[in-house]
Amino acid sequence: MSVAESSLDFLLIETVDHFCTADPDSAYAKLEQMGYRVGQSLAEKYTVDRPRFVDTLDVIKFVCKEFWIAVFQKQIDHLKTNHRGVYVLTDNSFRWLRRCSAENMDHKRFHTALPCGLLRGALAQLGVQSQVNVDIAGGQCIFQLKIK
Amino acid sequence: MSVAESSLDFLLIETVDHFCTADPDSAYAKLEQMGYRVGQSLAEKYTVDRPRFVDTLDVIKFVCKEFWIAVFQKQIDHLKTNHRGVYVLTDNSFRWLRRCSAENMDHKRFHTALPCGLLRGALAQLGVQSQVNVDIAGGQCIFQLKIK
């Protein structure tokens, strides 16, 4: 497991680095789009043999458990909702950020573009349109989803 | 293992796709550079606890076995040399190309940029400067290294 992940980690670092260097203004949007398409592809792959989802909460639970485990080898640690279309997903040790230096928060923000897109793409593939924002504190990531 | 690999596979497809769309003329060079830096990082990671290499052949053998296994979960199937600085490495089922459609050979060429860079970067990290070309036939990849 760890071997394939190293390739992925380093490729992520290089990808984010490339976009930030080439065109910082559009870097976030482009990385988010790339993440979106990866999220769609992965969600399609991981739901091929599943019955359809009942409702939005059903989709979100799937993403927090099966999907997150498949992609990040752990589930979302905490799920909260206001029951009016806002869901807050907390990952206490988000893997894709573990190789970013803690001090460089600006760069770290760019590293959240791919995961935000991934989440938005996965949800869209499962029929849920959303807006995704993220807060970072240490290795903890708090994703906030607004369902459209 | 297959889970992390799916993320990597889809990210590779999106990365190559992005570069080809954004600027086809420079796509190959940019992807090769990105692969080069990933190769350096991985080679550094996988040799931390090793004694130094004796000579070029020693480095090439390490790349064909341990390094290839760590990155691609299999070793290079065949290694040939003319004993004058040219080495030919054959991988009979190269993983990073398995999701590319067979008919689109031009796109496939772009997908070889990252692996060529990866190989060149890994060798450079281990003190061997080289030029890397590749021939593709089906899923088979034949890398040709010229040592500088």
Side-chain angles (χ1 to χ4, degrees):
Chain A
M1 187 78 76
S2 72
V3 282
E5 281 173 8
S6 291
S7 315
L8 180 60
D9 289 341
F10 290 123
L11 187 68
L12 284 172
I13 290 171
E14 290 305 327
T15 305
V16 172
D17 198 58
H18 164 79
F19 281 94
C20 295
T21 311
D23 183 4
D25 292 342
S26 69
Y28 191 91
K30 282 182 181 164
L31 286 164
E32 205 272 348
Q33 258 305 312
M34 198 179 263
Y36 182 88
R37 287 190 300 269
V38 173
Q40 281 186 308
S41 303
L42 288 172
E44 190 186 3
K45 179 183 154 79
Y46 295 136
T47 53
V48 158
D49 300 322
R50 274 188 67 97
R52 298 200 74 185
F53 294 100
V54 181
D55 56 17
T56 300
L57 184 59
D58 204 24
V59 169
I60 305 239
K61 280 183 177 167
F62 168 79
V63 168
C64 289
K65 289 190 183 167
E66 283 97 321
F67 182 81
W68 218 253
I69 290 170
V71 181
F72 301 112
Q73 292 81 56
K74 71 183 286 293
Q75 49 177 294
I76 283 286
D77 295 295
H78 193 62
L79 169 64
K80 228 169 47 179
T81 177
N82 69 352
H83 299 289
R84 290 198 310 269
V86 175
Y87 296 84
V88 179
L89 283 59
T90 305
D91 187 331
N92 289 331
S93 58
F94 186 59
R95 328 189 16 100
W96 281 7
L97 293 179
R98 76 193 157 134
R99 279 186 210 267
C100 303
S101 51
E103 59 278 11
N104 193 340
M105 281 305 283
D106 192 50
H107 200 190
K108 210 173 220 184
R109 199 186 99 76
F110 285 109
H111 274 277
T112 64
L114 273 166
C116 281
L118 185 92
L119 197 45
R120 195 170 68 83
L123 289 167
Q125 177 68 28
L126 307 177
V128 176
Q129 304 303 320
S130 66
Q131 200 183 315
V132 180
N133 286 304
V134 73
D135 276 322
I136 313 163
Q140 193 186 56
C141 262
I142 303 167
F143 295 95
Q144 183 173 301
L145 319 181
K146 263 190 203 137
I147 307 305
K148 284 182 186 165
Chain B
M1 188 74 79
S2 73
V3 282
E5 281 172 10
S6 292
S7 316
L8 180 60
D9 288 342
F10 289 123
L11 187 70
L12 284 172
I13 290 172
E14 290 305 328
T15 306
V16 172
D17 198 57
H18 164 81
F19 281 93
C20 296
T21 310
D23 183 2
D25 291 342
S26 69
Y28 190 92
K30 283 182 181 164
L31 287 164
E32 204 272 347
Q33 257 306 310
M34 197 180 265
Y36 182 87
R37 287 191 300 270
V38 174
Q40 281 186 307
S41 303
L42 288 172
E44 189 186 3
K45 178 182 154 78
Y46 296 135
T47 52
V48 158
D49 300 321
R50 274 187 67 99
R52 299 202 74 186
F53 294 100
V54 181
D55 56 18
T56 300
L57 184 60
D58 203 25
V59 169
I60 305 239
K61 279 183 178 167
F62 168 79
V63 168
C64 289
K65 289 191 183 166
E66 285 97 321
F67 182 81
W68 218 253
I69 289 169
V71 182
F72 301 111
Q73 291 82 53
K74 71 183 287 294
Q75 49 178 293
I76 284 284
D77 295 295
H78 193 62
L79 169 62
K80 228 168 46 177
T81 176
N82 69 351
H83 299 288
R84 289 199 310 268
V86 174
Y87 295 84
V88 179
L89 283 59
T90 306
D91 187 331
N92 289 330
S93 58
F94 186 59
R95 329 188 14 100
W96 282 6
L97 294 179
R98 76 192 159 132
R99 280 186 210 268
C100 303
S101 51
E103 60 278 11
N104 193 340
M105 281 304 284
D106 192 49
H107 201 191
K108 212 173 219 184
R109 198 186 99 78
F110 284 109
H111 274 277
T112 64
L114 273 167
C116 281
L118 183 92
L119 197 46
R120 195 170 68 84
L123 290 167
Q125 178 67 27
L126 308 177
V128 176
Q129 303 303 321
S130 66
Q131 200 183 316
V132 180
N133 287 304
V134 72
D135 277 322
I136 312 162
Q140 192 185 57
C141 262
I142 304 166
F143 295 94
Q144 183 173 301
L145 319 181
K146 263 191 203 138
I147 307 304
K148 284 182 185 165

